[in-house]
Amino acid sequence: MNESEEEALRWSIVEACRNMRGLGLNQGTSGNISVRWGEGLLITPSGLPYDQMQAADIVFLKFDGTFVSDRPIVPSSEWRIHRDILLAKPSVNAVVHAHPVYSTAFAMCRREIPAVHYMIAAAGGPTIRCSDYATFGTQALSETALKALEDRTCCLLANHGIIATGPNLAKALWLAVELETLCQQYYVASQIGTPVILSDAEIALNIEKFKSYGLKPRPA
């Protein structure tokens, strides 16, 4: 790891934040992003509009919850969720938290998402759970999010929004979009009739198929 790598990673977070609105994931300054870095994580600052955000505004937060900054900024109020997910899940290197319309609507109703489409396999299981409710920015919210993320890659946060994780930022952001798309499809299908739920066995099959899906690195 070096300064140029860190600078590039900081800018990738800024770019992802700016893209979230166009992707239908966020409005205003809501939502936050983190990426594992060294003995901690790089995370978006609290309350700074994305169009004003610069690489230097991204905060390095140690896993013990401390940070040092020579700028008048502090980490996102949801830093505990990001820190605790990265500590609990070594395979996760990026976390996206957002408030997209359809996903958040289901979270407001505290409804988990069943296997109404095979793409739910991207969540790691036959459901996308909705967490219990806890006040934003608290350790209690982090703990309830971790419970909802057991054996899962994403979840809804009750009366709040979503969490999506990934081995890198691009995949975490992709999963957040997939989650919102699935919730929108589920909502529309429910207006037409009763969506048919796929079996756990079918979702398990799709989870296995996803392991070999997409482009793979070429051998050296």
Side-chain angles (χ1 to χ4, degrees):
M1 295 183 289
N2 55 50
E3 289 185 8
S4 61
E5 289 179 48
E6 181 178 353
E7 181 77 1
L9 192 55
R10 286 170 174 270
W11 277 117
S12 73
I13 294 172
V14 172
E15 182 180 9
C17 288
R18 292 174 179 173
N19 287 339
M20 281 203 292
R21 183 170 184 177
L23 292 170
L25 294 177
N26 246 0
Q27 310 83 36
T29 61
S30 62
N32 29 78
I33 289 176
S34 69
V35 176
R36 189 187 300 273
W37 178 253
E39 298 302 313
L41 56 144
L42 294 169
I43 187 168
T44 47
S46 179
L48 182 64
Y50 295 143
D51 59 355
Q52 298 177 22
M53 193 178 296
Q54 301 294 314
D57 296 317
I58 303 301
V59 181
F60 175 67
L61 179 78
K62 295 181 180 179
F63 283 128
D64 64 7
T66 62
F67 72 98
V68 177
S69 177
D70 58 0
R71 302 167 68 85
I73 53 175
V74 296
S76 164
S77 61
E78 302 295 7
W79 63 266
R80 292 173 180 83
I81 289 181
H82 294 263
R83 187 271 309 271
D84 292 350
I85 290 173
L86 292 175
L87 283 174
K89 293 177 173 283
S91 62
V92 169
N93 291 311
V95 178
V96 172
H97 168 50
H99 306 159
V101 173
Y102 287 89
S103 304
T104 301
F106 279 104
M108 290 163 68
C109 295
R110 303 193 186 183
R111 291 263 303 274
E112 77 172 15
I113 310 302
V116 290
H117 192 287
Y118 75 87
M119 279 302 295
I120 203 169
T127 61
I128 297 171
R129 301 188 188 101
C130 183
S131 75
D132 293 331
Y133 178 76
T135 304
F136 83 93
T138 62
Q139 187 60 38
L141 179 60
S142 176
E143 291 168 3
T144 194
L146 281 175
K147 184 176 179 180
L149 284 168
E150 288 179 4
D151 302 316
R152 297 291 191 273
T153 58
C154 61
C155 72
L156 306 180
L157 297 177
N159 303 88
H160 190 149
I162 68 167
I163 292 287
T165 68
N168 55 53
L169 180 52
K171 290 189 176 180
L173 196 62
W174 170 85
L175 182 59
V177 173
E178 288 297 322
L179 172 53
E180 173 64 359
T181 300
L182 180 58
C183 287
Q184 184 174 3
Q185 292 168 335
Y186 185 29
Y187 168 78
V188 173
S190 296
Q191 309 313 301
I192 298 170
T194 302
V196 177
I197 298 175
L198 298 172
S199 68
D200 288 0
E202 177 62 20
I203 299 307
L205 174 62
N206 279 277
I207 290 172
E208 286 302 310
K209 288 175 69 68
F210 276 9
K211 292 178 181 179
S212 59
Y213 177 80
L215 296 174
K216 305 298 178 186
R218 294 182 179 181

